[in-house]
Amino acid sequence: METDFDGFVAARSAALFRGALVLTGSRDAAEDLVQETLERACRKWRTISDKDAPDAYVRRIMVNLANDRWRRFRRTVSQAEGPDRAAPGDQYGQVDSRDQLVRALQQLPMRMRTVVVLRYFHDLSDTEIAADLDISASTVRSQLARGIEKLRSQFPALSAPSPQQHTEGIR
């Protein structure tokens, strides 16, 4: 059983970390969240490994822990003045854009943030997210739509139509 868990950790810890980083917004907090998630999963591994989808079970542990932390440590993160778009070859600008996105995600309510993270960072379907969070698929879709709308409102330059879109129908 222990080797199965070791294999799971080797295969999934990077993905769990990416999700935790977006959920928490901090590298240190993400590392702690993944560590605590894997610790709890290890204690229940016999039960988890018997399930059809151990990934979903472990993600659920992580989301629940993140929710608990968020409730305990609600804090506001100051936002940058304005979201600037990075030039295509500007590596530093791209890092700034990612940082702004993580900060914007931190401003979303926890359930909305969780739905956005599970969809776009874990590439799960509505039904998979609904099963993970024990909510309906329609709730997933509405939370996702509202979350994306809020993110777009914080990045108007990114959500505005490109000049190419303006001229596509004109000849």
Side-chain angles (χ1 to χ4, degrees), residues 58-73:
V58 173
R59 268 194 315 271
R60 180 79 185 251
I61 291 171
M62 184 172 74
V63 166
N64 288 340
L65 287 170
N67 285 337
D68 292 345
R69 285 176 177 220
W70 183 77
R71 284 185 201 106
R72 273 185 277 150
F73 303 114

Side-chain angles (χ1 to χ4, degrees), residues 81-124:
E81 285 299 313
D84 294 329
R85 212 172 186 175
D90 182 10
Q91 296 296 320
Y92 293 110
Q94 290 174 356
V95 169
D96 287 343
S97 294
R98 274 180 275 202
D99 182 54
Q100 289 172 353
L101 176 60
V102 169
R103 288 175 191 254
L105 281 165
Q106 294 301 306
Q107 299 302 311
L108 297 178
M110 190 61 185
R111 179 181 279 182
M112 197 177 289
R113 181 183 341 154
T114 302
V115 168
V116 171
V117 168
L118 290 176
R119 167 55 62 85
Y120 292 105
F121 290 87
H122 287 279
D123 201 29
L124 299 181

Side-chain angles (χ1 to χ4, degrees), residues 33-95:
L33 180 59
V34 170
Q35 182 68 32
E36 191 173 352
T37 299
L38 292 175
E39 179 185 326
R40 288 195 183 183
C42 182
R43 282 190 256 146
K44 298 178 181 180
W45 187 249
R46 283 191 183 148
T47 306
I48 294 171
S49 63
D50 290 341
K51 303 283 183 192
D52 290 336
D55 279 348
Y57 196 94
V58 173
R59 268 194 315 271
R60 180 79 185 251
I61 291 171
M62 184 172 74
V63 166
N64 288 340
L65 287 170
N67 285 337
D68 292 345
R69 285 176 177 220
W70 183 77
R71 284 185 201 106
R72 273 185 277 150
F73 303 114
R74 286 184 193 202
R75 54 188 154 141
T76 58
V77 178
S78 62
Q79 289 184 301
E81 285 299 313
D84 294 329
R85 212 172 186 175
D90 182 10
Q91 296 296 320
Y92 293 110
Q94 290 174 356
V95 169

